[in-house]
Amino acid sequence: GVPLELEIRVHNYGEAAVADVPLSLESGVGRLPISPVPAIAPGEDVVVRHRYTFPAPGPAALRVRLPSS
């Protein structure tokens, strides 16, 4: 596989703090959960690091998703 270290920036556009925000990573092989973001103050950013290994070399797409609100 081909490893990649991701830096995922999450911004809280709300007026209240949020905690335990679940994230998921979508790739060509499916959807994988990522450790939840512990806390984000209103108007603030948090950077989450995640390591992903592509199953094979070549072009690929990844998408990080928040839950629907």
Side-chain angles (χ1 to χ4, degrees):
V2 181
L4 173 69
E5 183 77 25
L6 300 168
E7 277 193 2
I8 303 160
R9 183 175 305 274
V10 182
H11 183 83
N12 180 358
Y13 290 96
E15 296 179 5
V18 293
D20 297 322
V21 179
L23 299 173
S24 62
L25 178 69
E26 292 181 354
S27 71
V29 296
R31 182 182 285 190
L32 305 168
I34 297 176
S35 296
V37 178
I40 311 172
E44 296 293 319
D45 291 339
V46 171
V47 174
V48 177
R49 296 190 194 292
H50 182 76
R51 187 170 190 83
Y52 178 77
T53 301
F54 292 96
L62 295 175
R63 174 182 287 173
V64 176
R65 293 175 89 56
L66 293 162
S68 301
S69 46

